[in-house]
Structure formats: structure tokens, C-alpha cells
Amino acid sequence: MAEETDVVDEVIDDQVADDQVTDQKPADEDQPGADDKKADGDDTKADGSERKETKTLLSDDEGDGSDEGVPEKYEFTPPEGIDLSEDAQTRLEAFGDTAREMNLSQEQYQSLIEYDIERGQKALVEAANGFVERVEGWAGETKADKELGGDALNANLGTIKAAQEKFGSPALAELVGAPSVDNPNGLGLGNHPEFLRLMLRVGKALGEDTFHEGDGHKASDGDSLKRMYPSMFKEAS
């Protein structure tokens, strides 16, 4: 009878062990939301500790690797020889807001403004040189013009000069002159063939014999013409 009881107990123990194995599931599947954690890339290790993260120096979160941050207020120091106008100062202050949005450091801000000034100066020099070449090109066209140039050039310039002095104003004289530091309003019209053609025809219509310079010399005097139209006499000077 005792032996039968031992056999029954063994059968019961084996059945309990089988049921436990059958009912056991992976830990992740028993826990609610386990699939969501996997999908979201849970940083928790199996032993419950958290995974550490690291970032490279070139990542966006680390900026440019510089310890210098965005200043409360940007200060621009003009390079030697550069004087900023009041308008330029105002525009720099307005740019400060944009620089702050760009997370520029003080050093980056200074370098960017210096670059922009240098670029602007270079553009102005190139534009000025280009206009000087254009004005000199007008002189060449006038000298080669059948009505204005050739052997009659000096006489024609004399007639034009006399008409300009009689009917023109100082402001017109500035426009006629070549652009320079002393004559910033100059457009070099004194070399343009069409302007000279108009003035020549006006002078001839009024009678060129009536035009004389104030000092008593004739309008065709060579020295006077050279002073008025220096570009026309470059080869001779």
C-alpha cells in the first residue's frame, strides 16, 4: 500500500513540473507593453541597468567643438582703416538677432562681418575700374567718329567747350568730368560721342565764331582743351 502511494506521488509531481514548463512564457511577452518597448528601442539592459549613450564631436548636438558659446551681445571691432557709418552700425545691430539664431560665436560673428566688408570693397573697386575703362572706351569711339574725330577733333572740342561754358552750369561740368575722388559725381560724359555730338551741333547752330574763352584765347586753344578733355589727349601727354 505504501508503494502505491509513492507511485501516485511521483506521477503528481511529474504532472506539476510539466504544467509549469508549459505555462512559462518569455519575460518580455508576460509584461504589458513589451513589444512597444522593443519597437521604441528601450535602453534598459536585461539586468535592469540603463545603457549609456555617447556623441561624436562632429555631431550636430556638439556644435563646432568650441567652448565659446553665443554671447549676450555681439561686438564688432572694425579693421584698421575702416570707419563704420551710423547706418552701418544700425544694420550690424539688426544682424545680431540673425547671428544669435545661427548660434554664431563672437569670433564667428567678427569673421563673417570682416569677410562681408572685404567682399564689398573688392566689388566696389572692380565696378570703379570697369567704369573707368568704359569712359576711356568712349574717348576712343569719339576719336574714331567721322563727325567728331580725326583732324577736326581739336576744333570740334573747342566749339563744344565754348558752348558748355556759355550755357552750362557747374553741376553739368561735374557730370561731364571723369569720376574721381575730387569729382565723385563725374560720369565722364565729356568722352561720350553722343553727348559731344549734341554739344557740337548746338555750338555750330549758334555760330562757333561767337564763342571765345574768358581769357581772350580762342576756344580751340590746345592747352585749354587738354584741361577740359584730358582723356582725348592721353597719347600726346
Side-chain angles (χ1 to χ4, degrees), residues 19-97:
D19 292 340
Q20 289 177 346
V21 171
T22 303
D23 294 338
Q24 187 175 3
K25 297 179 180 179
D28 289 345
E29 293 181 4
D30 280 344
Q31 297 178 3
D35 292 338
D36 294 338
K37 289 184 179 180
K38 290 180 180 179
D40 293 339
D42 186 15
D43 290 335
T44 305
K45 294 182 179 179
D47 59 2
S49 62
E50 294 183 356
R51 293 187 180 93
K52 294 182 178 180
E53 293 185 354
T54 186
K55 298 176 181 178
T56 66
L57 293 176
L58 295 180
S59 68
D60 293 338
D61 294 332
E62 294 298 329
D64 61 356
S66 173
D67 293 335
E68 186 179 5
V70 178
E72 294 183 4
K73 183 178 181 181
Y74 292 100
E75 297 290 343
F76 176 69
T77 303
E80 185 177 355
I82 300 295
D83 294 326
L84 296 179
S85 65
E86 184 176 346
D87 180 62
Q89 290 282 11
T90 301
R91 284 186 282 116
L92 280 179
E93 292 176 1
F95 176 68
D97 295 335

Side-chain angles (χ1 to χ4, degrees), residues 12-236:
I12 293 174
D13 290 341
D14 291 339
Q15 184 63 41
V16 170
D18 291 339
D19 292 340
Q20 289 177 346
V21 171
T22 303
D23 294 338
Q24 187 175 3
K25 297 179 180 179
D28 289 345
E29 293 181 4
D30 280 344
Q31 297 178 3
D35 292 338
D36 294 338
K37 289 184 179 180
K38 290 180 180 179
D40 293 339
D42 186 15
D43 290 335
T44 305
K45 294 182 179 179
D47 59 2
S49 62
E50 294 183 356
R51 293 187 180 93
K52 294 182 178 180
E53 293 185 354
T54 186
K55 298 176 181 178
T56 66
L57 293 176
L58 295 180
S59 68
D60 293 338
D61 294 332
E62 294 298 329
D64 61 356
S66 173
D67 293 335
E68 186 179 5
V70 178
E72 294 183 4
K73 183 178 181 181
Y74 292 100
E75 297 290 343
F76 176 69
T77 303
E80 185 177 355
I82 300 295
D83 294 326
L84 296 179
S85 65
E86 184 176 346
D87 180 62
Q89 290 282 11
T90 301
R91 284 186 282 116
L92 280 179
E93 292 176 1
F95 176 68
D97 295 335
T98 302
R100 196 167 290 106
E101 292 176 359
M102 297 170 64
N103 293 324
L104 296 183
S105 65
Q106 173 61 43
E107 181 179 357
Q108 291 171 327
Y109 175 83
Q110 177 77 23
S111 298
L112 181 60
I113 301 302
E114 288 180 356
Y115 169 78
D116 190 61
I117 290 177
E118 182 179 353
R119 180 189 60 80
Q121 289 178 327
K122 184 178 179 181
L124 287 176
V125 170
E126 291 177 351
N129 290 340
F131 189 73
V132 168
E133 293 178 0
R134 187 178 185 184
V135 170
E136 291 179 349
W138 292 342
E141 294 175 13
T142 297
K143 293 176 182 179
D145 189 88
K146 294 181 179 180
E147 180 182 1
L148 301 172
D151 295 336
L153 177 64
N154 286 357
N156 288 338
L157 291 178
T159 301
I160 294 169
K161 179 177 180 295
Q164 178 185 322
E165 289 182 344
K166 186 173 181 63
F167 299 106
S169 64
L172 177 62
E174 291 181 359
L175 296 176
V176 168
S180 66
V181 175
D182 297 329
N183 186 31
N185 294 326
L187 297 179
L189 293 179
N191 281 359
H192 200 292
E194 295 309 316
F195 174 79
L196 296 177
R197 194 186 318 280
L198 171 64
M199 296 299 293
L200 175 63
R201 293 175 179 177
V202 169
K204 286 183 175 181
L206 296 175
E208 61 184 83
D209 291 339
T210 63
F211 296 119
H212 294 83
E213 293 187 276
D215 59 3
H217 293 287
K218 292 183 178 179
S220 60
D221 181 84
D223 293 336
S224 176
L225 294 177
K226 287 180 181 179
R227 290 194 299 271
M228 179 63 74
Y229 304 101
S231 298
M232 299 294 182
F233 297 90
K234 271 192 172 183
E235 297 177 356

